[in-house]
Amino acid sequence: MNNRVEAYYREEHAGNRPVICSAEDVDELIDSLLTAPAYHNMAELHSLERVSLPSGFPDHELLVGVDNNLQAGVLEFMDAEGNVVTLGSSEGRGEVSYFIVGNATEFPDRSEIPIDLVRQAVKEFLASGGKRPTCVQWQVPEFW
């Protein structure tokens, strides 16, 4: 696998984002988020295999949030087709928030999925060159 994904999940990454190149790197990222303080439990990912917009910004985004206590997480995928978030079990816990460097992002009810599925989806995102993962179910959020 030669695909690469750029990650942002710590303040020090603002100018120098780490690059994820393997399934092992994905596991390290998820493990790092699981052991981080609660206000650092989400990462923003962009595939380096996709063409940027004319502005130079990525044409897509994958947000990955994890909750160590629940061993669950959320995903958000955005591209030209719109925004979607993961669809979890029928027993959600209401709206939930995850944080990148202290900045909250809210996710709708029933958006959390098991942590193993989060790992699988991020590995698929890497392997596919930045396509929306198909191993999870998606929902269109009402408030984005």
Side-chain angles (χ1 to χ4, degrees):
M1 177 183 338
N2 293 323
N3 293 336
R4 299 167 303 134
V5 169
E6 196 173 61
Y8 173 70
Y9 57 100
R10 299 282 181 267
E11 251 180 81
E12 60 268 21
H13 298 155
N16 186 23
R17 296 180 179 207
V19 176
I20 296 169
C21 302
S22 67
E24 293 80 16
D25 290 348
V26 170
D27 285 332
E28 285 180 27
L29 166 70
I30 302 295
D31 291 344
S32 176
L33 292 172
L34 284 169
T35 58
Y39 55 90
H40 285 291
N41 63 356
M42 189 167 64
E44 176 186 291
L45 306 180
H46 299 110
S47 174
L48 297 174
E49 309 313 313
R50 292 179 61 143
V51 177
S52 296
L53 298 169
S55 64
F57 288 101
D59 71 339
H60 69 290
E61 172 181 270
L62 180 67
L63 294 180
V64 181
V66 300
D67 184 311
N68 191 32
N69 293 329
L70 295 177
Q71 287 296 294
V74 294
L75 300 170
E76 174 266 349
F77 184 82
M78 176 201 69
D79 65 6
E81 295 179 19
N83 291 1
V84 290
V85 296
T86 41
L87 177 62
S89 72
S90 59
E91 294 184 23
R93 57 182 182 125
E95 290 182 7
V96 292
S97 295
Y98 287 80
F99 301 85
I100 295 178
V101 191
N103 296 307
T105 299
E106 292 182 355
F107 291 85
D109 187 30
R110 297 183 56 219
S111 57
E112 292 173 304
I113 60 174
I115 198 68
D116 290 340
L117 202 48
V118 171
R119 288 180 192 275
Q120 182 181 344
V122 176
K123 290 173 185 176
E124 183 182 335
F125 176 76
L126 172 65
S128 71
K131 294 181 180 158
R132 182 171 81 178
T134 59
C135 65
V136 295
Q137 290 186 296
W138 298 96
Q139 62 180 318
V140 176
E142 293 179 23
F143 56 82
W144 279 4

